[in-house]
Amino acid sequence: MAEHEELKPAAELLADIDLDGVHSDTHSHPSLSDTDDEGELEVVLKLTVQLHNKPIELPFYHADATIQDLSDTIAEDLHIPPSNQKLLITPKTGLLKPPFKDPTLPLQTLLEKKIVLMGATSTEVQALESDLSARHARLSRRAAALAAARSTHNKPSRATRDWKRVQDESSYTFHTISPLPHLPNPSKSLRYLERLAADPGIKSSMRKHGFSVGLLTEMDPAEHTTHESRTLGLNRNRGEVIELRLRTDAGDGYRDYRVIRKTLCHELAHNVWGEHDGKFWALCRGIEGEVERGDWRSGGHSVGGEEFYNGVGEGEEEGVDGGGWEGGEYVLGAGSGAVGAGVGEPLSRREIMARAAEERIRKQDEAKRARDAAAAP
């Protein structure tokens, strides 16, 4: 396990840092404070986990402590319920989350590994749900006010209103849109997903083909990045859930809107065809063309006045496939005819950022050489 400066027990660290509204006085855990004073139990081993880029030292009082004991301690001391817990353990072990496949995994085997805890506390989830509810209420009031204002100037009659289109748009749509609350800035991810769902080209194509998607959500990059490839999109059960990789590899922004929209076109085609045969590609290309023709607002790049930064170069991933689509997934980095693309050891955040930085430097060097060559006599 990597060394950290001034490691503190979990009970002390919770008193020093603010986990977005979670304070140490909201829960009292007798195993950390009371037993220290009474001297009843002796700490046998200590395990350090990284939470919000801060090291937290968790004590255990028996040598045969397991991964299940670690999950229970996180729930009690850090107020992160098991359903929200994800443990990224490197090297080798990978991503673990309750319920564990092997709950008896000894913690002794993890002492020399790096453990990153990803998960939202109960308070954070409640705050996000409250913010989303308040935002939806504001949007509803604004939409009602705009509709009332328009009706006074140009109220359509029942004879001229396209009732079939109204009915189709309510049926052939994304019925639920949700970001991942444990990733940074979920409200911005929500706006990105809402922009995709409201895209005129996407809406037109979904009406034409009768596409209905239960949940549109973002993809957790940590779960879908390996040394060999990275997944951009995923369609589960032919439209039950569509996941899109909104964020850059370095985690410093969001990918180009047109790239993500093209990925969404691909995933919508998986509502009909599972295999990547000629019928699938014909439908996929057709959807892409319909979306481009239906986007009468093409050229816009902002949502609420905010630019979605593409950290690897605007549009650079467009048209990249290389045979790496597997079972409803859009995977970059797999060679032609690859089988099982996207399966491998997860990359750490540091490795992802390093790769992104190397790629940017390489492109800058290529651009400089091209300019120098053009300027040479």
Side-chain angles (χ1 to χ4, degrees), residues 62-92:
H62 46 95
D64 57 349
T66 66
I67 192 72
Q68 185 61 55
D69 295 321
L70 174 59
S71 175
D72 294 341
T73 301
I74 290 172
E76 293 176 6
D77 294 348
L78 305 183
H79 314 294
I80 301 177
S83 59
N84 293 357
Q85 296 176 14
K86 293 181 182 178
L87 299 169
L88 183 59
I89 303 175
T90 55
K92 300 292 186 183

Side-chain angles (χ1 to χ4, degrees), residues 88-211:
L88 183 59
I89 303 175
T90 55
K92 300 292 186 183
T93 304
L95 185 71
L96 302 179
K97 57 184 178 181
F100 301 107
K101 184 177 181 180
D102 180 14
T104 63
L105 177 67
L107 292 186
Q108 292 281 2
T109 64
L110 306 180
L111 291 179
E112 301 302 320
K113 295 181 180 290
K114 178 181 179 180
I115 304 177
V116 177
L117 171 60
M118 299 177 290
T121 65
S122 300
T123 302
E124 290 173 330
V125 173
Q126 292 172 1
L128 175 61
E129 291 176 348
S130 177
D131 290 344
L132 291 177
S133 298
R135 182 173 181 275
H136 284 307
R138 291 195 301 271
L139 290 176
S140 297
R141 291 194 298 269
R142 184 183 303 170
L146 290 174
R150 292 192 187 102
S151 65
T152 59
H153 297 286
N154 187 22
K155 184 175 181 180
S157 66
R158 296 180 63 87
T160 59
R161 178 172 291 182
D162 189 347
W163 290 105
K164 184 178 186 306
R165 176 171 176 169
V166 172
Q167 183 178 9
D168 287 349
E169 287 190 347
S170 64
S171 300
Y172 307 130
T173 185
F174 303 97
H175 296 284
T176 303
I177 301 174
S178 177
L180 294 179
H182 66 274
L183 295 181
N185 206 353
S187 60
K188 188 169 183 178
S189 294
L190 176 63
R191 293 196 298 275
Y192 201 126
L193 294 170
E194 288 176 338
R195 179 187 176 190
L196 287 166
D199 187 288
I202 294 292
K203 292 173 67 176
S204 175
S205 184
M206 293 186 74
R207 289 197 309 271
K208 176 180 178 179
H209 297 280
F211 290 147

Side-chain angles (χ1 to χ4, degrees), residues 321-326 333-339:
D321 176 39
W325 295 82
E326 291 290 325
S336 180
V339 176

Side-chain angles (χ1 to χ4, degrees), residues 165 168-169 172-174 196-213 261 264-269 271-272 282-295:
R165 176 171 176 169
D168 287 349
E169 287 190 347
Y172 307 130
T173 185
F174 303 97
L196 287 166
D199 187 288
I202 294 292
K203 292 173 67 176
S204 175
S205 184
M206 293 186 74
R207 289 197 309 271
K208 176 180 178 179
H209 297 280
F211 290 147
S212 178
V213 177
R261 187 175 66 175
L264 178 56
C265 293
H266 186 107
E267 299 310 327
L268 287 173
N271 281 16
V272 179
L283 177 59
C284 182
R285 301 299 182 230
I287 294 173
E288 291 175 358
E290 293 161 4
V291 169
E292 288 294 334
R293 290 190 298 271
D295 185 8

Side-chain angles (χ1 to χ4, degrees), residues 11-26:
E12 296 181 16
L13 188 58
L14 284 176
D16 297 337
I17 65 174
D18 179 10
L19 296 182
D20 293 335
V22 179
H23 302 287
S24 58
D25 59 357
T26 59

